[in-house]
DNA sequence: ATCGTTTACGTAATCGTTTACACGTTTAAG
DNA sequence: CTTAAACGTGTAAACGATTACGTAAACGAT
């Protein structure tokens, strides 16, 4: 039935009206007709699955070549129920933090012939849900998501998905009910490292500027600061804690506030590099010098950390590793390989530069 | 026929074995059965195309809601012959230059409900051809490509495509035969601006470090330098021209070479910021100061240009605008809107900062 | 009551692949 | 020489949506 109708539609060599574009639409049916075989044989020859004689395969391959055949990915997707794409949902394309992650992800995807769809969630829950909806519609086979709205609604939606999802949030699966994986860097540990670095230089008045304490990641990071202070027997003073938004301007505003005080902090720990740079800018504008007037530590270890003046001490979060690990985890799920752990924790490391060194200057 | 087979497959409420996952696969056929209508009616109700009674539409919408229906994008793609995705082929994800472009593109795509597939071509012709192949397989409806291998082979492959393509190369369509559009910033003009800025300060020995002169864009940029020098009656001396690779290290190497000479340049024009920063680093390492010992001008006006020390004078190329304009052009093609011009030229502007100002220092 | 038009819905084909199954032809084994 | 396994190929049914076309009811105008 199908063959009949299709065959009748095929433009015979002589039929095509002069001057008309040659009908470039070539399907396996066209190839089949040309070599005088059935479409299923063509499919087998091209895909390499199932039996196929050597000479026929050669003939078919040649014909496909000559006809400039390209398989239709939509048809393939529909039939195979696989898109060979994964979604990467990221809150903010502008933040350089994610570029390395993209890179890491891409390396793994390439090995498996997967493509990456970049989805920009703009720090909004609604957009994150849109990303999830895309998975429900089978736009991609899986998703890696950096979520800043790691709430009930989100988790439920993700758990309802058939497609595998890897989050980069720190999370302890509640009762093993959850169906997603996660790869994260222990930012708590990172901030603790950074704070202890300052403590270790004998500083006592250490300020902290972080993200919203309501958000999970914001809270974690703050705890790192608090525990480091506690551990050293130093007081955690509300005056020296700023709840900000991970932007340069946010850091700038926090520093301004501290600059107004009579008593100023000896060191400042920022929950990311952008805020650290904002802090440095505020001090610079006030005519003060870093690290002489205040030591600064950031986190993320962005490219710019080594380019600002003075060079910024920063906690390296291994973004690229997060990317590759996430992608590998996702691939394991997609290939049905066994996955030992739901969560993978990566450890940060401190990169010491001039912004935090009281004594030395280069 | 189709209905019969499909209907018989539907799991009736009571049939499903206890403990088994509820079959989550819901299609319009399932919805149709539930409300006692035909699939075509369901399709019409959900897509809003064609006639559909108000009460039935409501009933269908409610059923779809309850069944947690999500349309299968692959099926939609196959039937509608539209993927609602575009490919963005970019040579190098690590280069911050492209992030703003991504941003610009994304803004436009979002308005049209399109998704972006990010394709990393690694500065390789082979990968660029792979991107093109993806279009042939109808992975996306169109493509925006930043090509560094704008050669015969590429152009032919792109012209053979049915899908619209926007390039960001400067290009004069040969005889109006070409079938792609292009949006570009006049980098010739940009380098000319930068060079004239130095010339205007009375400098005479001005060096230039650019990309390969074999590449189109590398050649264009060089011409901007040459013409500015010529225009001021200054000699273009081979000793002060370096052919490099747009990386920081490349700039560093070029500067090292110049530093060995007895006679050193008064000013250096770099064809991008990364190389300019490399140049600055080399001078810094040699214990020299900028702009006192040499004035430096870059191009791209990256974020870091305003963060390095001293702040880098740079030619702003409006990356975000390239992105939005490219995406808009592509969308016009996809929607069949008339497009006045194949090419759109954007003009760069010079952002003067400290690295190039002999007199003033802030 | 009749006709024509509009509205609502169903039938079935279609998009371009893959693949279970059936059927014939070799080939190897007994 | 028979029989069974292995191989090669074709038939037709999927995958899940859209849509041209046909039919029937509802509606108003004559």
């Amino acid at each position: 039935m199908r063959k009949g109708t299709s065959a009748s539609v095929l433009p015979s060599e002589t039929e095509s009206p002069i001057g008309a574009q040659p009908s470039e639409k070539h399907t396996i049916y066209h190839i089949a007709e040309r070599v005088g075989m059935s479409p299923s044989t063509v499919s087998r020859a091209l895909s390499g699955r199932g039996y196929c004689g050597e000479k026929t395969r050669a003939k078919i391959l040649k014909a496909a070549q000559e006809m400039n055949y390209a398989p239709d990915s939509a048809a393939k997707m529909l039939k195979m129920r696989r898109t060979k794409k994964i979604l990467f949902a990221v809150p903010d394309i502008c933040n350089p933090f994610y570029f390395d992650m993209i890179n890491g992800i891409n390396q793994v995807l390439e090995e498996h012939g997967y493509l990456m769809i970049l989805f920009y969630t703009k720090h909004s829950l609604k957009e994150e849900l849109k990303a999830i909806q895309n998975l429900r519609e089978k736009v991609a086979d899986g998703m890696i998501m950096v979520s800043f709205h790691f709430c009930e609604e989100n988790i439920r939606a993700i758990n309802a998905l058939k497609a595998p999802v890897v989050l980069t949030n720190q999370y302890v699966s509640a009762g093993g009910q959850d169906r997603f994986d996660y790869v994260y860097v222990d930012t708590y540990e990172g901030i603790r490292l950074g704070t202890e670095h300052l403590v270790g230089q004998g500083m006592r008045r250490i300020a902290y500027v972080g993200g919203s304490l309501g958000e999970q990641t914001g809270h974690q990071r703050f705890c790192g600061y608090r525990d480091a202070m506690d551990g050293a027997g130093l007081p955690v003073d509300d005056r020296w804690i700023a709840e900000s938004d991970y932007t340069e301007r946010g850091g700038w505003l926090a520093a301004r506030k501290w600059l107004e005080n009579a008593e100023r902090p000896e060191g400042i720990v920022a929950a990311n590099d952008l805020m650290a740079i904002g802090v440095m800018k505020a001090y610079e504008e006030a005519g003060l010098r870093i690290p002489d007037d205040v030591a600064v530590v950031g986190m993320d270890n962005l490219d710019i950390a080594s380019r600002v003046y003075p060079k910024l001490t920063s906690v390296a979060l291994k973004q690229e590793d997060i990317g590759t690990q996430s992608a590998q985890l996702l691939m394991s799920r997609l290939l049905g390989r066994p996955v030992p752990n739901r969560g993978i924790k990566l450890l940060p490391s401190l990169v010491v530069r001039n912004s935090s060194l009281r004594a030395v200057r280069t």
Side-chain angles (χ1 to χ4, degrees), chain A:
Chain A
M1 163 204 67
R2 170 57 176 275
K3 192 191 173 189
T5 54
S6 268
S8 72
V9 158
L10 296 181
S12 71
E13 301 289 322
T14 57
E15 235 175 49
S16 62
I18 299 160
Q21 290 265 10
S23 166
E24 283 295 348
K25 201 170 60 175
H26 288 146
T27 72
I28 51 170
Y29 281 85
H30 297 79
I31 301 181
E33 206 202 29
R34 190 190 228 247
V35 299
M37 314 230 101
S38 81
S40 60
T41 305
V42 175
S43 172
R44 279 188 291 254
L46 294 175
S47 69
R49 274 181 293 264
Y51 289 116
C52 183
E54 269 317 308
K55 347 89 200 172
T56 39
R57 150 163 301 137
K59 195 161 56 161
I60 289 172
L61 257 47
K62 190 158 84 64
Q65 180 84 22
E66 288 169 6
M67 298 173 73
N68 230 298
Y69 168 78
D72 184 293
S73 75
K76 221 171 214 162
M77 281 168 54
L78 178 57
K79 187 62 192 173
M80 310 288 283
R81 342 199 85 226
R82 228 182 5 151
T83 64
K84 285 254 184 184
K85 291 182 242 321
I86 74 107
L87 204 72
F88 180 38
V90 66
D92 182 0
I93 307 188
C94 290
N95 190 329
F97 180 84
Y98 302 112
F99 306 146
D100 290 326
M101 250 186 98
I102 292 184
N103 237 337
I105 294 172
N106 217 67
Q107 278 169 30
V108 178
L109 294 191
E110 233 167 51
E111 290 168 19
H112 294 84
Y114 269 66
L115 292 175
M116 173 166 91
I117 300 179
L118 194 60
F119 193 96
Y120 180 19
T121 58
K122 305 179 200 167
H123 284 283
S124 121
L125 174 60
K126 215 170 103 192
E127 293 292 324
E128 290 190 7
L129 291 170
K130 265 196 210 168
I132 295 172
Q133 176 63 17
N134 271 306
L135 276 205
R136 301 206 333 114
E137 297 182 4
K138 307 214 187 69
V139 168
D141 296 339
M143 166 166 80
I144 297 173
M145 176 149 105
V146 180
S147 171
F148 272 75
H149 295 273
F150 200 52
C151 58
E152 189 60 31
E153 190 173 1
N154 241 331
I155 294 178
R156 200 171 19 230
I158 291 173
N159 279 328
L161 247 31
K162 310 213 61 167
V165 172
V166 175
L167 294 175
T168 61
N169 297 69
Q170 181 169 358
Y171 181 67
V172 180
S173 192
Q177 294 289 3
D178 294 308
R179 309 196 44 249
F180 51 85
D181 300 302
Y182 46 98
V183 173
Y184 68 96
V185 175
D186 193 341
T187 51
Y188 162 87
E189 195 61 29
I191 292 294
R192 208 162 63 81
L193 272 176
T195 310
E196 281 171 356
H197 168 62
L198 297 184
V199 168
Q201 289 183 78
M203 301 178 192
R204 304 189 55 83
R205 294 190 308 279
I206 299 172
Y208 172 78
V209 50
S212 160
L213 294 177
E215 279 179 2
Q216 192 208 16
T217 184
H219 184 253
Q220 296 273 354
R221 294 180 192 204
F222 169 72
C223 290
Y225 163 76
R226 189 199 52 198
D227 291 358
M229 294 295 277
D230 277 354
L234 298 175
V236 175
D237 190 328
D238 270 357
R239 278 181 308 158
W240 289 334
I241 294 166
E243 209 170 327
S244 184
D245 61 354
Y246 298 108
T247 65
E248 188 172 329
R249 181 170 171 74
W252 184 83
L253 286 170
R256 294 279 301 193
K257 209 184 58 186
W258 291 324
L259 283 168
E260 287 171 7
N261 289 359
E263 195 179 33
R264 289 179 185 158
E266 297 166 274
I268 297 177
V269 177
N272 77 344
D273 282 350
L274 255 34
M275 289 193 292
I277 288 170
V279 165
M280 285 169 55
K281 196 160 276 181
Y283 269 77
E284 186 191 337
E285 286 170 13
L288 298 174
R289 292 165 63 194
I290 294 168
D292 308 87
D293 293 310
V294 72
V296 177
V297 173
M299 178 146 98
D300 283 354
N301 195 31
L302 301 182
D303 271 20
I304 48 173
S306 61
R307 290 197 172 116
V308 289
Y309 183 81
K311 292 178 182 170
L312 177 65
T313 292
S314 185
V315 178
L317 296 186
K318 310 186 177 166
Q319 292 85 302
E320 190 158 341
D321 288 352
I322 304 184
T324 52
Q325 297 267 5
S326 301
Q328 256 151 17
L329 202 47
L330 200 58
M331 277 303 153
S332 296
R333 292 285 179 200
L334 289 174
L335 299 174
R337 290 194 197 138
V339 172
N341 295 308
R342 281 245 108 106
I344 294 179
K345 170 159 107 176
L346 302 177
L347 288 178
S349 56
L350 186 70
V351 179
V352 178
R353 299 198 184 88
N354 295 338
S355 73
S356 67
L357 291 177
R358 267 293 167 79
V360 195
R361 286 198 68 177
T362 359

